[in-house]
């Protein structure tokens, strides 16, 4: 990856971390970290998140937490910092532009 792409990825992570810390519950942050692969670069499916949590939550719970988190991040002043770093697919799902 080029230096510019690495810098943008670093800025994305910092902006996302700041927004998540300010706006999301710990549970929503954990779900988003797993779904987006923020800790290890590997995005998890809803089912994988359920497995990681020991099965104490459902796929529906994961989806609801993810949707709540996205709504919170979209509706706050942090949204303008994050929009340039993500891509929305045809199904309305957001993924990072760059993955390590």
């Amino acid at each position: 990856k080029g230096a510019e792409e690495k810098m943008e990825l670093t800025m994305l992570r910092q902006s996302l971390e700041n927004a998540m810390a300010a706006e999301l519950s710990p549970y929503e942050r954990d779900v988003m970290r797993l779904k987006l692969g923020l800790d290890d670069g590997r995005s998890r499916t809803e089912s994988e998140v359920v497995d990681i949590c020991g099965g104490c939550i459902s796929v529906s719970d994961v989806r609801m937490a993810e949707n709540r988190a996205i709504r919170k991040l979209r509706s706050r002043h942090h949204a303008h910092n994050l929009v340039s770093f993500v891509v929305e697919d045809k199904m309305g799902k957001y993924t990072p532009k760059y993955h390590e």
Side-chain angles (χ1 to χ4, degrees):
K1 293 183 180 182
E4 183 177 325
E5 190 174 309
K6 284 183 181 181
M7 178 60 83
E8 283 189 17
L9 184 57
T10 299
M11 290 170 47
L12 164 64
R13 284 194 176 143
Q14 187 60 52
S15 293
L16 187 55
E17 292 290 344
N18 291 343
M20 289 186 352
E23 305 298 341
L24 305 183
S25 71
Y27 171 65
E28 292 164 341
R29 283 195 303 269
D30 289 346
V31 167
M32 294 303 289
R33 294 186 78 74
L34 290 166
K35 290 287 295 168
L36 295 173
L38 296 178
D39 294 325
D40 61 6
R42 183 172 166 255
S43 299
R44 303 315 200 285
T45 65
E46 287 91 354
S47 295
E48 289 173 318
V49 174
V50 169
D51 291 343
I52 290 167
C53 293
C56 61
I57 59 173
S58 69
V59 169
S60 177
D61 294 331
V62 173
R63 285 187 190 127
M64 285 189 295
E66 181 182 15
N67 289 333
R68 247 188 342 265
I70 290 170
R71 274 194 312 272
K72 286 179 181 180
L73 294 173
R74 259 192 202 154
S75 66
R76 306 287 193 229
H77 66 276
H78 300 286
H80 73 277
N81 290 329
L82 302 176
V83 168
S84 64
F85 297 110
V86 294
V87 177
E88 183 177 8
D89 68 17
K90 292 177 184 175
M91 301 299 291
K93 292 285 187 178
Y94 292 90
T95 56
K97 277 187 184 177
Y98 309 113
H99 247 297
E100 290 185 316

